[in-house]
């Protein structure tokens, strides 16, 4: 990624994304950072600008695919006429983990799958026609997709795969009103995200690099902000002690690892799984060509009204 480029990023308001935003601008001080979020703390914007960074904030509610598509249009309207440099990187870092599998978005999709999978797809597909061949795309995933004790520490159930059409709707898991179902929806959505990264790597033009990034177990962030009071306390006050061991990663280190993945400090081929600071294999179940193809086709169909048409000369505009 050259320096005179725009970096578009979701999930920079808190946690590892906030650290990554700072490190991205430190590593590429002439880059322009576009933050897509429902809310971005003014303190973060002021901090980045005070350090000499160039920052634009675009409001985007990732639980609304219309909001995501409109935010992508705003990016295009800044980049296409040259008001901002070309897009050099897209960082899909935002994610949610809910306490149930019943919450629906305004579009009628299950909220975990909508934010962690569908929103990323709409954003990437709408910006695809405006990404140069050298662009780098990084999608934050999770090692909970392995589904074993080593990676989940017994706290998150492993993925429970179903057809995407089922996963995208509420009540896809047993006892959907409970927190176990909410966590299963989370790990399953991250497996789906890896499937799509593999499929993007095949379908995007030669030269693009798209990778999935696993920050590891990162206590101390706000990922569990919708959990019950005891779980929130444990994640914020007790679990951070695990960062003193190999079992967990501090938010600061995870943010630095994410920025390094975006900046290309970690050399990774397209389609790779970056485990913190190195390329590694994702779970055996994540390499399933049939599921990858089927996931792509289903996500394309579910989000079709928010995607550019093949014949659309201006793919930054929603089909209406």
């Amino acid at each position: 990624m050259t320096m005179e480029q725009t970096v578009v990023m979701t999930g920079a308001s808190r946690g590892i994304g906030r650290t990554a935003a700072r490190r991205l601008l430190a590593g590429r001080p002439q880059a322009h950072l576009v933050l897509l979020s429902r809310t971005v703390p003014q303190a973060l914007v002021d901090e980045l600008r005070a350090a000499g960074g160039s920052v634009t904030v675009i409001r985007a509610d990732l639980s609304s695919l219309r909001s995501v598509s409109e935010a992508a249009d705003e990016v295009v309207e800044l980049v296409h006429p040259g008001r901002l440099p070309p897009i050099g990187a897209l960082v899909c870092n935002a994610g949610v983990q809910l306490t149930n599998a019943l919450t629906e978005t305004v579009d009628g999709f299950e909220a975990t799958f909508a934010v962690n999978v569908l929103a990323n797809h709409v954003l990437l597909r709408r910006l695809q026609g405006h990404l140069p061949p050298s662009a780098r795309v990084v999608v934050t995933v999770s090692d909970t997709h392995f589904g074993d004790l080593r990676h989940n520490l017994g706290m998150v159930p492993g993925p429970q795969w179903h057809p995407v059409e089922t996963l995208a709707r509420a009540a896809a898991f047993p006892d959907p009103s409970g927190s176990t179902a909410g966590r299963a929806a989370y790990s399953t959505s991250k497996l789906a995200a890896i499937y799509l990264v593999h499929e993007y790597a095949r379908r995007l033009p030669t030269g693009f690099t798209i990778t999935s990034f696993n920050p590891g177990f990162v206590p101390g962030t706000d990922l569990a902000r919708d959990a019950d009071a005891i779980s929130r306390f444990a994640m914020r006050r007790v679990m951070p002690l695990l960062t003193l061991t190999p079992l967990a990663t501090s938010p600061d280190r995870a943010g630095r690892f994410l920025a390094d993945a975006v900046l290309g400090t970690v050399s990774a081929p397209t389609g790779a799984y970056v485990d913190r600071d190195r390329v590694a294999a994702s779970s055996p179940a994540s390499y399933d060509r049939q599921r990858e193809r089927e996931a792509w086709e289903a996500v394309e169909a579910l989000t079709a009204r928010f995607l550019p048409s093949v014949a659309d000369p201006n793919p930054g505009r929603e089909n209406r």
Side-chain angles (χ1 to χ4, degrees), residues 251-277:
D252 183 67
R253 290 183 68 225
R256 289 188 283 114
F257 292 153
L258 172 57
D260 288 344
V262 177
L263 294 169
T265 304
V266 178
S267 179
T270 191
Y273 178 78
V274 178
D275 183 9
R276 286 161 280 200
D277 61 349

Side-chain angles (χ1 to χ4, degrees), residues 35-308:
L35 306 180
L36 307 185
S37 180
R38 186 162 47 190
T39 58
V40 174
Q42 188 59 43
L44 172 61
V45 177
D46 293 342
E47 176 189 344
L48 295 173
R49 289 175 176 166
S54 179
V55 182
T56 296
V57 175
I58 294 176
R59 187 184 184 283
D61 179 354
L62 300 186
S63 67
S64 164
L65 297 186
R66 179 175 294 279
S67 179
V68 173
S69 65
E70 289 174 348
D73 289 351
E74 289 191 50
V75 174
V76 171
E77 288 166 1
L78 290 171
V79 171
H80 188 64
R83 292 160 61 190
L84 288 181
I87 302 171
L90 171 61
V91 190
C92 298
N93 177 61
V96 296
Q97 179 179 310
L98 303 179
T99 56
N100 63 73
L102 289 175
T103 305
E104 291 187 340
T105 67
V106 295
D107 303 303
F109 296 119
E110 191 279 318
T112 306
F113 199 85
V115 173
N116 296 355
V117 180
L118 301 182
N120 291 341
H121 187 73
V122 170
L123 183 59
L124 174 54
R125 290 282 281 107
R126 292 191 72 78
L127 293 180
Q128 179 181 336
H130 302 277
L131 298 174
S134 59
R136 186 180 301 274
V137 180
V138 177
V139 179
T140 298
V141 294
S142 168
D143 54 7
T144 59
H145 83 277
F146 277 87
D148 57 19
L149 183 62
R150 173 189 168 195
H151 294 91
N152 294 4
L153 302 180
M155 296 185 295
V156 180
Q160 300 176 28
W161 191 253
H162 301 289
V164 164
E165 295 86 349
T166 300
L167 295 173
R169 304 297 177 180
F173 303 94
D175 189 17
S177 63
S179 61
T180 298
R183 291 169 183 160
Y186 176 79
S187 62
T188 306
S189 74
K190 294 303 185 178
L191 177 59
I194 295 173
Y195 284 149
L196 289 177
V197 166
H198 293 163
E199 196 67 16
Y200 292 139
R202 298 185 191 101
R203 293 173 182 265
L204 290 174
T206 301
F208 276 74
T209 300
I210 181 167
T211 58
S212 52
F213 166 74
N214 167 48
F217 174 53
V218 188
T221 69
D222 277 342
L223 182 62
R225 57 189 176 272
D226 295 313
D228 60 86
I230 294 176
S231 297
R232 292 199 307 272
F233 177 82
M235 282 293 290
R236 293 174 181 172
R237 302 298 181 186
V238 180
M239 293 299 181
L241 295 175
L242 290 177
T243 60
L244 301 175
T245 76
L247 295 175
T249 311
S250 71
D252 183 67
R253 290 183 68 225
R256 289 188 283 114
F257 292 153
L258 172 57
D260 288 344
V262 177
L263 294 169
T265 304
V266 178
S267 179
T270 191
Y273 178 78
V274 178
D275 183 9
R276 286 161 280 200
D277 61 349
R278 68 199 65 187
V279 174
S282 50
S283 71
S286 70
Y287 299 96
D288 187 318
R289 290 288 291 265
Q290 181 174 343
R291 284 186 181 178
E292 290 163 2
R293 184 182 67 254
E294 291 174 351
W296 168 277
E297 292 171 351
V299 168
E300 281 275 293
L302 290 171
T303 62
R305 64 184 293 242
F306 301 101
L307 302 182

